[in-house]
Amino acid sequence: MRTFRLTDAAFGDLAAGRPSADTVDLLRRAQASRHLLLLSAIRKLGGPIPEPIDVYDPMAALHTSATLAALHAGAAPRHPGSAPPTN
């Protein structure tokens, strides 16, 4: 598994609101990697994988996280764009 690390200087620049292009690129690649790991876990649990997948889309990553949480809880995962369940 690949590990993504920020230097202290890069983290300081990020915290100050002036990250370098390299830092933003590293964070973007780390997020895509996390999303791919979540998709792999969903596939192993037999959950739905929406297509097409944009691993750089934050909303797709949010849906992937919610789907995995639902599968772990034994609930049926929602599909993107579906209405929330009513009680």
Side-chain angles (χ1 to χ4, degrees):
M1 181 176 353
R2 177 156 185 194
T3 303
F4 296 88
R5 297 185 189 275
L6 286 177
T7 64
D8 288 341
F11 188 77
D13 289 346
L14 180 65
R18 46 181 165 67
S20 70
D22 289 339
T23 298
V24 172
D25 182 57
L26 176 72
L27 293 173
R28 187 171 160 86
R29 287 184 289 125
Q31 182 64 25
S33 177
R34 177 181 177 271
H35 192 181
L36 290 170
L37 286 171
L38 291 172
L39 287 168
S40 174
I42 290 171
R43 180 167 281 135
K44 286 179 184 175
L45 292 173
I49 304 290
E51 302 227 3
I53 300 170
D54 179 2
V55 296
Y56 294 105
D57 179 6
M59 293 309 291
L62 177 64
H63 178 265
T64 302
S65 296
T67 297
L68 188 58
L71 289 170
H72 279 296
R78 290 179 39 211
H79 292 279
S82 65
T86 58
N87 293 347

